[in-house]
Amino acid sequence: MMDPAIDRVLTRWSPERQERARAVLAAYPERRSTVMPLLYLASREHGYCSREAMVEVGKITGLTSIQVESVASFYSMYRRQNVGKYVISVCTSISCFLRGADDVLAAIEDETNTPDGETSDDALFSVEHVECSGACGGAPAVAVNWELIEGVLPDKGRALCQWLKDTQPETVLADEMQALFGGQQSFDWGIAEPQGATSHVPAFERYDSAGDAS
Amino acid sequence: MSQPHILTRHMVANRTDSNTLASYEQSGGYSALRKGLNSMTPEQIRAEVKASNIRGRGGAGFPTGVKWGFLAPAEPRYLVVNGDESEPGTFKDRQLLERDPHQLVEGIIISAFALNCAKAFIYIRGEYPKPARRVQRAIDEARAAGYLGDNILGSGFSLDITLHLGAGAYICGEETALLNSLEGRRGEPRLKPPFPAVEGLYAKPTIVNNVETLSNVPWIVNNGGAAYAAIGPERSAGTRMFSLSGHVNNPGNYEIVMGLTWREFIYDLGGGVPDGRELKCWIPGGASAPWFTPDLLDTLVTIDDVGQNGSMLGSGAVVVMDETTNVVHAAHRLVRFFAHESCGQCTPCREGTTWLERVLWRIGHGMGRPEDIDLLLDVCDNISPGLRWPPAMTTICPLGPSATAPVNSIMTHFRPEVEAMIAANELVQGGVSIG
Ligand SMILES: Cc1cc2nc3c(=O)[nH]c(=O)nc-3n(C[C@H](O)[C@H](O)[C@H](O)COP(=O)(O)O)c2cc1C
Ligand code: SF4
Ligand code: FES
């Protein structure tokens, strides 16, 4: 696939993301379907789903940037503003609510000095309440860059924020955080997952549509 | 109570690495694929799935074999797996994806062979990076082992599977919204008909099935449809995953044979309500389902019984609320979800859910007005006229009407409590901190 318009964009990207983007382009029967995975890759390239990211995705897919924006704006995980290094998502849906999630959110807002929906001044944290994270059996659930922790009580929520502040890990690992700050789990997790998240954009590590073997 | 394991048999036997190919093969994994591709025809596999009487596990409970029979002959045709699981209270697919991704991949390959699809997609919600990672790894392992790709096991059948990550929109769980999302569009549901089996992905014939539904296929092929149909009540065949959460001692996923009573489920399996508190009510099948109260504890957990009692098993999420629960706050949380997730295409849903959310919020925050009760019921009636069950539809998809379920439930069962709250007009704490 040697399309000059595509190459002009992709050669600006890191070699790994270039390769991932080419795999995405090969995986779908129709070009338009690549918009979502490419939006993730472009967001990762630019830090978030910026104007420039959407323009680039438009150039690759042959859509206008308005068309791309119309898709991106539908989905909450394409962040159209920059966010903190760690996005802390506190589930306050029904099952977590019943188990005291509002207190967990309040504790995390307080500890990070960041109100729900905002980013801390030092850009370390964004805090948000979210709808069901699929961890209701381990309520209350908290995710850091979408790595889940189950059974998080207010004090453990505070300790989690403090730990993130102190250690500032480049990769956050669900199993590690669960062991340190979690409690009741929805089910037995089995062996530890070696991969974690290196950003709030959940498509950088090799598990999304690109699908190339490691 | 002991319950047989079909879906969870492998992860129960292999407590640690059940997600790996080596472990899956050791417990007989991919034997159904060999059997299916080497000794059965696509028609024979479809006949076994039909004979199993399995009904879709994504919410609507439509018989899978019947749905497969609707697939139009045009080519290419697609198989799409729905792993968007986002309905509050539901976390069963997450366990199947994380702990036994090969069972799903095997189910997809067999089903694609039976349906003559050369391309399948798995749509997983964006907030599930770990399940997605494990499924992608399973796909890669299966390809390397020759279970996926060209000429699988020498059968002449070829299949490619692409994993597609969602990006935070519950509505994409609705099958036509999911297809729009896969096509790179806004995840807005389509008007039906045409149904996906006739005009689905890229306007081609498409079967959409839930993760749990397809995870059953290897067992059905190995053991036969009749053996599956023999488990449980006639119209609720097989085992089924239920997600139990809220005020129970043993929350978690339970693979159960339907036909037990709610008392057995909540008290014997779930361990009952913590600290000896009283059960107030429970949601029998996800955020969209009308609530049940303790007078129904001795009724049966089957699709039909729950339907006759005015609710549904839906996504399999059972949320238990004890006597300390403030029902206005609880209903507000559920309605807030629908208001947040409405795609906005239909006025009754877009406007109605927002109204319900705001009115419930003000009642819950000491600002309720006496006329709010009628207002809530009136808004519900505008979204779904007559407030009957199953709900009347004024909208493109069932999300709008679903939002009336919690409101209608509190008005039916706990109206004096809501009235008292409006009369007192003070802020009452809603959730219970369990420490
Ligand atoms: C608002 C809405 C959300 C839905 N969410 C899901 C979901 O997350 N997962 C799912 O499998 N089905 C979901 N469904 C049901 C699907 O539309 C579809 O019926 C199902 O995926 C078909 O698979 P099955 O026959 O195997 O159950 C949803 C339906 C609606 C109306
Ligand atoms: S009912 Fe609501 S979610 Fe469904 S299509 Fe209409 S506006 Fe969208
Ligand atoms: S309600 Fe919080 S994880 Fe489901």
Side-chain angles (χ1 to χ4, degrees):
Chain A
M1 202 177 356
M2 279 296 140
D3 182 330
I6 293 177
D7 287 339
R8 265 196 299 279
V9 175
L10 288 189
T11 46
R12 285 187 231 146
W13 288 9
S14 76
E16 182 176 2
R17 282 192 280 280
Q18 260 189 64
E19 189 196 319
R20 299 288 305 282
R22 290 187 202 284
V24 164
L25 289 165
Y28 294 88
E30 293 196 10
R31 178 64 49 88
R32 176 153 189 152
S33 283
T34 62
V35 170
M36 290 184 68
L38 289 176
L39 274 170
Y40 274 140
L41 289 170
S43 298
R44 180 66 201 214
E45 189 68 33
H46 295 276
Y48 68 106
C49 190
S50 62
R51 224 289 26 95
E52 208 184 345
M54 291 187 280
V55 169
E56 287 185 345
V57 170
K59 286 188 176 144
I60 301 173
T61 54
L63 300 175
T64 65
S65 57
I66 300 297
Q67 285 172 311
V68 174
E69 189 168 354
S70 139
V71 176
S73 63
F74 188 83
Y75 301 93
S76 60
M77 288 173 68
Y78 299 124
R79 312 267 181 184
R80 281 144 78 233
Q81 272 168 353
N82 221 338
V83 287
K85 181 176 166 91
Y86 304 112
V87 176
I88 306 184
S89 309
V90 182
C91 175
T92 55
S93 265
I94 185 72
S95 307
C96 291
F97 160 75
L98 291 171
R99 293 242 172 195
D102 288 13
D103 296 340
V104 180
L105 176 61
I108 287 174
E109 289 179 278
D110 183 56
E111 191 67 32
T112 58
N113 203 11
T114 311
D116 184 9
E118 294 188 21
T119 298
S120 63
D121 293 337
D122 59 3
L124 193 59
F125 296 112
S126 293
V127 174
E128 59 183 11
H129 78 269
V130 290
E131 297 294 349
C132 182
S133 301
C136 335
V142 174
V144 179
N145 291 344
W146 304 116
E147 294 298 310
L148 258 182
I149 321 167
E150 301 187 301
V152 183
L153 301 174
D155 285 351
K156 290 292 179 118
R158 284 184 188 275
L160 165 69
C161 300
Q162 195 58 52
W163 177 79
L164 287 169
K165 216 180 289 176
D166 292 344
T167 61
Q168 306 209 5
E170 283 312 311
T171 305
V172 287
L173 297 161
D175 290 274
E176 181 182 17
M177 293 189 292
Q178 178 69 30
L180 291 171
F181 312 107
Q184 169 86 46
Q185 285 167 283
S186 290
F187 50 84
D188 179 350
W189 285 12
I191 45 169
E193 176 65 27
Q195 282 174 306
T198 53
S199 106
H200 67 95
V201 184
F204 182 64
E205 299 76 15
R206 52 178 76 248
Y207 52 67
D208 77 337
S209 311
D212 39 353
S214 40
Chain B
M1 290 181 77
S2 91
Q3 295 278 335
H5 298 293
I6 290 181
L7 283 162
T8 54
R9 71 188 181 288
H10 173 54
M11 66 181 87
V12 165
N14 300 273
R15 294 229 164 256
T16 56
D17 61 349
S18 58
N19 58 305
T20 64
L21 178 64
S23 159
Y24 188 63
E25 282 182 322
Q26 249 164 37
S27 38
Y30 289 104
S31 60
L33 181 69
R34 282 179 207 285
K35 179 177 175 185
L37 265 58
N38 293 336
S39 68
M40 294 171 79
T41 64
E43 296 73 31
Q44 283 170 330
I45 296 175
R46 292 203 301 272
E48 291 302 332
V49 169
K50 189 148 189 209
S52 76
N53 286 340
I54 185 171
R55 290 166 73 170
R57 306 303 197 217
F62 196 80
T64 305
V66 176
K67 185 194 277 187
W68 286 14
F70 292 150
L71 188 63
E75 302 212 22
R77 37 190 28 209
Y78 298 102
L79 175 62
V80 174
V81 187
N82 193 338
D84 195 49
E85 177 170 82
S86 314
E87 180 147 339
T90 319
F91 50 98
K92 66 183 180 76
D93 292 341
R94 178 175 146 232
Q95 182 169 3
L96 294 171
L97 295 166
E98 281 186 19
R99 294 297 313 279
D100 209 346
H102 279 287
Q103 176 171 253
L104 173 65
V105 169
E106 186 179 13
I108 295 170
I109 306 168
I110 298 169
S111 304
F113 173 70
L115 297 164
N116 192 18
C117 301
K119 177 96 194 175
F121 292 91
I122 310 179
Y123 191 108
I124 295 181
R125 69 182 292 201
E127 299 91 335
Y128 273 9
K130 179 176 167 186
R133 217 182 274 142
R134 290 204 162 167
V135 170
Q136 184 61 58
R137 215 176 285 143
I139 292 172
D140 294 341
E141 283 180 320
R143 191 178 287 126
Y147 298 133
L148 258 181
D150 291 334
N151 190 18
I152 298 167
L153 302 175
S155 65
F157 172 67
S158 302
L159 177 70
D160 181 41
I161 303 181
T162 293
L163 191 159
H164 189 93
L165 210 56
Y170 160 75
I171 191 60
C172 291
E174 194 283 331
E175 57 188 10
T176 59
L178 185 150
L179 296 175
N180 274 340
S181 183
L182 252 181
E183 289 182 5
R185 301 174 197 282
R186 295 164 70 84
E188 290 163 349
R190 303 173 181 171
L191 266 174
K192 293 191 266 194
F195 288 92
V198 178
E199 259 180 58
L201 186 62
Y202 311 125
K204 295 290 186 288
T206 303
I207 291 292
V208 183
N209 271 133
N210 170 259
V211 164
E212 182 186 342
T213 309
L214 293 182
S215 293
N216 277 297
V217 170
W219 194 95
I220 292 171
V221 166
N222 264 334
N223 299 275
Y228 192 87
I231 302 169
E234 195 187 337
R235 287 174 39 81
S236 294
T239 62
R240 185 165 171 179
M241 297 285 281
F242 283 86
S243 301
L244 182 64
S245 68
H247 296 141
V248 281
N249 280 313
N250 309 321
N253 284 322
Y254 290 85
E255 182 181 7
I256 61 177
V257 177
M258 286 176 274
L260 75 176
T261 65
W262 285 104
R263 188 184 302 282
E264 288 169 321
F265 186 16
I266 294 171
Y267 285 91
D268 298 348
L269 294 174
V273 176
D275 304 327
R277 290 194 294 265
E278 291 292 321
L279 173 68
K280 185 167 193 170
C281 55
W282 71 96
I283 310 176
S288 320
W291 304 1
F292 275 3
T293 43
D295 51 303
L296 293 175
L297 269 174
D298 294 306
T299 62
L300 299 183
V301 182
T302 70
I303 296 176
D304 291 341
D305 287 88
V306 174
Q308 277 152 22
N309 289 318
S311 189
M312 63 172 181
L313 286 182
S315 63
V318 178
V319 182
V320 177
M321 298 181 233
D322 73 17
E323 57 183 322
T324 65
T325 309
N326 179 302
V327 291
V328 172
H329 285 298
H332 172 262
R333 281 309 147 113
L334 292 161
V335 168
R336 185 189 75 181
F337 168 77
F338 292 114
H340 183 252
E341 303 298 340
S342 167
C343 83
Q345 287 189 102
C346 321
T347 311
C349 172
R350 182 187 62 242
E351 302 297 324
T353 54
T354 309
W355 270 89
L356 293 178
E357 199 259 328
R358 290 192 185 158
V359 174
L360 285 169
W361 189 87
R362 81 176 173 220
I363 298 175
H365 286 75
M367 288 172 266
R369 305 167 192 170
E371 62 272 23
D372 280 349
I373 302 242
D374 287 337
L375 179 59
L376 285 172
L377 289 169
D378 189 46
V379 174
C380 286
D381 192 65
N382 275 313
I383 301 175
S384 183
L387 290 181
R388 53 185 169 74
W389 186 258
M393 293 277 289
T394 53
T395 50
I396 295 172
C397 92
L399 184 140
S402 295
T404 65
V407 182
N408 206 11
S409 293
I410 63 170
M411 290 307 178
T412 307
H413 303 297
F414 305 106
R415 186 165 173 152
E417 224 179 290
V418 183
E419 285 168 348
M421 223 175 145
I422 292 174
N425 258 3
E426 53 196 34
L427 176 57
V428 184
Q429 188 70 32
V432 187
S433 297
I434 301 212

